[in-house]
Amino acid sequence: MEKRREEKVPSAVSLNKCAACYRQFNRMEHLVDHMRTSFHSVHEPTCGVCKKHCRSFESLREHLIGPLPKQECRNVFNIRGCKFCLAIVDSPYALRVHQDRCQLSGVNHGILAYMANLGLRDSLTIDNGYSRGPQVVALACKTVGGGSDRSLDLCARVCIIDENENIIFHTYVKPPIPVTNYRYAHRINPSIRPEHLRDAMPLRQVQRKVQDFLCNGEPTWKIRSPKGGKARILVGHGLDHDLDKMQVEYPPIMIRDTAKYPPLMKTSKLSNSLKYLTQAYLGYDIQNGIQDPYEDCVATMRLYVRMRRQVHRRQDYPLASDPQNRNNFASWRQNELERMSPEEMLAISRSDYYCWCVDSA
């Protein structure tokens, strides 16, 4: 009888288990420290079987089908799990329907061949009035080499598309210094040739057009939030590089970069290539043959839309950096926090990154 009574009493370790990632701690104060620095939230990728929170989709993938998966979750995922979005559906039949919809088809190679010979297409406009919700566009550029060692990246081709994958702007760009390397070795079918740049639009003109289009009539210094303003949300992959080569400045609050979005990064917190992300999460291959900025734009826009459609519980102040949340795990609340249950601490924990699902709220 005494032995049975002891078995019913939960251990101290089980009481000090994180309600999000299920890590266990010997002392409650260690769990509080963990919650203070982990930034667990409703926006993290979550296992559809055991409800464990993961920092990224790559971490969730390892949990489900990695070298050392949780066996119970793996068994369910093998029967009812989507290999693209990692969701768990109700039945094997529902999985077939879901996965057919989840796997997208790539850009037609005939379109890419047409794009390679496409000259200037300019539909950049400034809206006079406020549209309903922020407009979203995707941008990509391709570079050639410059300088005596041929390693200096020079913007030579730019493409911008809207959310429906229509081309808004496409042009070859004339760099401000001579091109010394067209980088044919890196492209099976070179998409940038000397004749493309001979009469191309000068970089300074491209920079001014793109800057004005993105800001949409709003001064850069006034852009503080994607809500309520006219400036456009900019989607891309490695946008720091692209904007730098185009000499365009744009507020980070309006940028959605698939190379820097924490749920799409590696477990080592390094960026995944756009080629990998497209294959893993959209189900098709890119950058096979012609290296085209339109194809990159389409891939990044599709990734953004998929991440934006994630369904998370809505919170008025979702960021840990919001003034309303800055004291949630303050050191002066240590005693109060140690009296909370793990579930109560998770309820007040907030994300340290801006979740793209907030764009659709």
Side-chain angles (χ1 to χ4, degrees):
M1 180 70 71
E2 192 65 31
K3 185 175 181 181
R4 287 180 182 173
R5 190 177 295 119
E6 287 177 3
E7 288 176 350
K8 293 179 182 179
V9 177
S11 68
V13 172
S14 65
L15 289 174
N16 302 332
K17 184 168 80 169
C18 175
C21 67
Y22 302 154
R23 281 187 62 186
Q24 295 184 338
F25 300 87
N26 292 327
R27 299 170 64 89
M28 192 62 175
E29 63 187 273
H30 298 156
L31 174 57
V32 172
D33 290 340
H34 165 75
M35 293 300 295
R36 184 176 285 131
T37 58
S38 63
F39 301 102
H40 288 309
S41 75
V42 297
H43 298 287
E44 291 178 302
T46 304
C47 175
V49 182
C50 69
K51 307 306 178 185
K52 177 183 177 180
H53 290 225
C54 298
R55 184 62 180 174
S56 67
F57 283 102
E58 289 303 293
S59 177
L60 176 57
R61 194 183 298 276
E62 288 187 5
H63 168 77
L64 292 168
I65 52 175
L68 296 171
K70 184 175 180 182
Q71 200 59 45
E72 176 190 354
C73 299
R74 179 182 183 178
N75 293 341
V76 174
F77 184 83
N78 285 342
I79 299 172
R80 298 189 280 118
C82 175
K83 64 181 180 180
F84 302 115
C85 68
L86 305 182
I88 306 293
V89 297
D90 296 333
S91 67
Y93 171 75
L95 176 62
R96 288 195 296 272
V97 175
H98 170 92
Q99 205 153 262
D100 285 344
R101 190 168 60 246
C102 212
Q103 183 176 14
L104 303 180
S105 57
V107 177
N108 186 284
H109 286 284
I111 294 177
L112 295 183
Y114 163 75
M115 287 291 299
N117 296 313
L118 181 67
L120 174 65
R121 174 169 291 187
D122 186 355
S123 301
L124 301 183
T125 57
I126 307 299
D127 290 345
N128 294 321
Y130 287 75
S131 58
R132 183 180 178 183
Q135 298 178 50
V136 183
V137 297
L139 177 148
C141 80
K142 293 297 179 182
T143 61
V144 290
S148 57
D149 62 353
R150 309 195 301 173
S151 64
L152 183 64
D153 284 343
L154 304 174
C155 176
R157 192 176 175 194
V158 175
C159 184
I160 300 176
I161 67 168
D162 62 18
E163 197 168 339
N164 296 317
E165 302 176 8
N166 300 312
I167 300 169
I168 302 173
F169 181 71
H170 173 274
T171 186
Y172 288 96
V173 183
K174 190 172 186 177
I177 64 174
V179 176
T180 55
N181 182 9
Y182 283 89
R183 297 175 176 171
Y184 294 145
H186 301 291
R187 304 180 177 97
I188 297 174
N189 295 305
S191 60
I192 302 173
R193 298 187 179 92
E195 57 268 25
H196 291 142
L197 306 186
R198 192 169 297 122
D199 298 313
M201 186 181 295
L203 176 64
R204 184 58 60 87
Q205 186 178 351
V206 173
Q207 180 264 336
R208 186 172 62 253
K209 277 179 168 288
V210 172
Q211 183 91 56
D212 291 346
F213 172 74
L214 293 177
C215 294
N216 200 23
E218 198 164 0
T220 306
W221 59 270
K222 281 187 65 177
I223 301 172
R224 294 288 180 268
S225 167
K227 304 290 184 181
K230 294 191 293 181
R232 294 174 165 94
I233 291 175
L234 178 62
V235 177
H237 188 84
L239 281 171
D240 283 351
H241 173 270
D242 287 357
L243 293 177
D244 178 62
K245 299 312 164 189
M246 294 172 61
Q247 300 177 11
V248 170
E249 294 183 2
Y250 204 53
I253 191 67
M254 302 302 296
I255 291 176
R256 307 290 180 264
D257 194 333
T258 56
K260 288 187 170 184
Y261 190 49
L264 293 177
M265 297 178 77
K266 298 178 182 179
T267 53
S268 60
K269 298 184 180 180
L270 297 175
S271 298
N272 277 303
S273 68
L274 181 58
K275 183 179 179 69
Y276 170 79
L277 292 176
T278 305
Q279 195 278 329
Y281 297 101
L282 302 179
Y284 68 93
D285 292 321
I286 63 170
Q287 300 173 352
N288 295 325
I290 298 175
Q291 298 287 301
D292 196 280
Y294 175 71
E295 185 178 46
D296 293 355
C297 283
V298 170
T300 55
M301 182 63 81
R302 290 175 176 179
L303 286 167
Y304 167 75
V305 170
R306 180 153 294 181
M307 293 297 107
R308 189 182 62 186
R309 287 176 178 167
Q310 295 281 312
V311 179
H312 300 141
R313 180 164 52 85
R314 185 171 180 180
Q315 298 170 321
D316 290 334
Y317 304 102
L319 291 174
S321 58
D322 289 332
Q324 295 80 0
N325 299 320
R326 286 177 183 168
N327 290 325
N328 286 7
F329 289 93
S331 57
W332 54 266
R333 294 186 63 187
Q334 184 72 21
N335 291 336
E336 177 189 353
L337 292 167
E338 289 182 19
R339 291 193 295 271
M340 287 184 179
S341 69
E343 290 74 21
E344 289 171 330
M345 279 193 281
L346 178 58
I348 66 171
S349 184
R350 293 294 184 269
S351 176
D352 61 342
Y353 65 87
Y354 181 92
C355 181
W356 293 348
C357 76
V358 179
D359 286 343
S360 62

